[in-house]
Amino acid sequence: MTTITTEGRQIRSNIVTGVVSILAIMIALVIVSAFGSDEAVDGPPGSSFVTTSLGAAGLYETLDELGADVVRSRQPISGDTLSRVDTLMALEVGGKFYDPFERAAIRNAVESGLTLVTSGTPNDELLERVAGVAPERIPNTPQAGRLTIGTGTFAAPRFGVFAPGSGLPLVVAGDRHLVVVFTVGEGRVVLFSDTASIGNQGLGLFDNADIVVDQVGLGTVMFDEFRHGFTEQG
C-alpha cells in the first residue's frame, strides 16, 4: 500500500486549482510538441533543452509559465552565481564531475537557504559534501504505471527507488521511497529517485507535476546545463 508522510501531505495543499489547470495545459502542449514534432531535441536525460522522453524541457516551460524566473547555467557553479538563485536543478548528474570548489559553493548555498533538486542516480561526491550522506538507490521492477498517494497518484519510477534510511521520505510505497529530502542548515536537498517521473514523459502523469512544482518552488530556478555538456561556447 502506498502512503504519503505528514510532510508529504502538505504538498497537495500548496497548489491551487487554477495552477493545476495551467500545469495540465502547459504539460500537454509541451509533450505534444516534443513527441509530435520532427524538430524534437534529443540529448542527455535531465537536460532542460531536451524534448524527448527523459528530457526536462517540459518542466522548464511549466515553471516559466507559472511565473518562476527560470535560467540555464552553461558555466561551472560558483558562490556568486548561487547567491542569486533559490533552487538549483541538478538532474541526472550521477557520475558527472563537480570540482571541490563547486561542491563547497553548493553546500554553503544550501546552508543559507538554497534548495538543491536532483533526480536519477545520485552523485555520491556531491551529496556527501552537501548533505553528508549518499543515499542508496536500488533497482526497481517497472510498476503498473502509478502509485496511489492519499487522494492523488504519482507515476511509478521506471529504473530505481531509494532504500529506507536514505533521508526523510516525502512519498513512499511500502518500503520504496520515491521522493526523499534532507534538511541542511536553512536549505534542503530534494531527491527524486527517477527522472522518468519528472521528465517530459512523466511530468504530465497523474499528480507528478503538483509534487514537483511544490518542491522546486517558483522563485529563481537554475538548471545546471554545464553538467550535460552545454557551455557558453555552444
Side-chain angles (χ1 to χ4, degrees):
M1 178 178 179
T2 302
T3 59
I4 188 166
T5 61
T6 300
E7 183 170 346
R9 289 191 186 94
Q10 296 175 1
I11 295 172
R12 295 196 51 76
S13 66
N14 293 339
I15 303 294
V16 298
T17 302
V19 172
V20 174
S21 298
I22 295 174
L23 281 172
I25 293 170
M26 277 304 304
I27 294 164
L29 290 174
V30 171
I31 291 174
V32 167
S33 173
F35 294 101
S37 171
D38 293 333
E39 299 179 357
V41 179
D42 199 359
S47 170
S48 65
F49 288 110
V50 174
T51 61
T52 48
S53 61
L54 295 183
L59 179 55
Y60 179 98
E61 296 295 340
T62 297
L63 292 168
D64 182 66
E65 182 69 14
L66 291 174
D69 180 13
V70 194
V71 296
R72 294 177 170 114
S73 174
R74 297 176 179 231
Q75 58 187 355
I77 300 295
S78 69
D80 180 62
T81 300
L82 293 179
S83 68
R84 301 184 291 274
V85 173
D86 298 302
T87 304
L88 172 63
M89 305 294 290
L91 307 181
E92 281 291 340
V93 296
K96 304 295 177 66
F97 180 67
Y98 287 85
D99 69 35
F101 298 101
E102 291 180 298
R103 296 197 297 267
I106 296 171
R107 165 76 187 201
N108 292 337
V110 171
E111 287 183 334
S112 298
L114 178 78
T115 295
L116 169 65
V117 176
T118 76
S119 67
T121 303
N123 185 304
D124 290 346
E125 284 190 335
L126 177 61
L127 292 175
E128 285 174 356
R129 181 68 178 90
V130 176
V133 62
E136 180 186 359
R137 187 169 180 267
I138 57 179
N140 182 56
T141 302
Q143 304 297 303
R146 66 179 184 178
L147 297 176
T148 303
I149 303 175
T151 58
T153 52
F154 186 77
R158 290 169 52 188
F159 304 114
V161 294
F162 294 121
S166 301
L168 174 67
L170 288 181
V171 181
V172 300
D175 62 351
R176 299 181 176 123
H177 294 180
L178 311 183
V179 186
V180 299
V181 62
F182 296 88
T183 299
V184 181
E186 297 180 9
R188 299 183 310 141
V189 179
V190 181
L191 283 69
F192 289 87
S193 64
D194 195 346
T195 301
S197 293
I198 66 175
N200 297 325
Q201 192 172 39
L203 186 65
L205 298 176
F206 313 116
D207 300 301
N208 290 22
D210 300 38
I211 294 173
V212 175
V213 171
D214 191 71
Q215 292 304 305
V216 172
L218 296 177
T220 300
V221 180
M222 185 173 80
F223 284 79
D224 181 4
E225 293 296 343
F226 184 79
R227 233 52 53 179
H228 296 303
F230 296 98
T231 67
E232 292 181 335
Q233 286 71 44

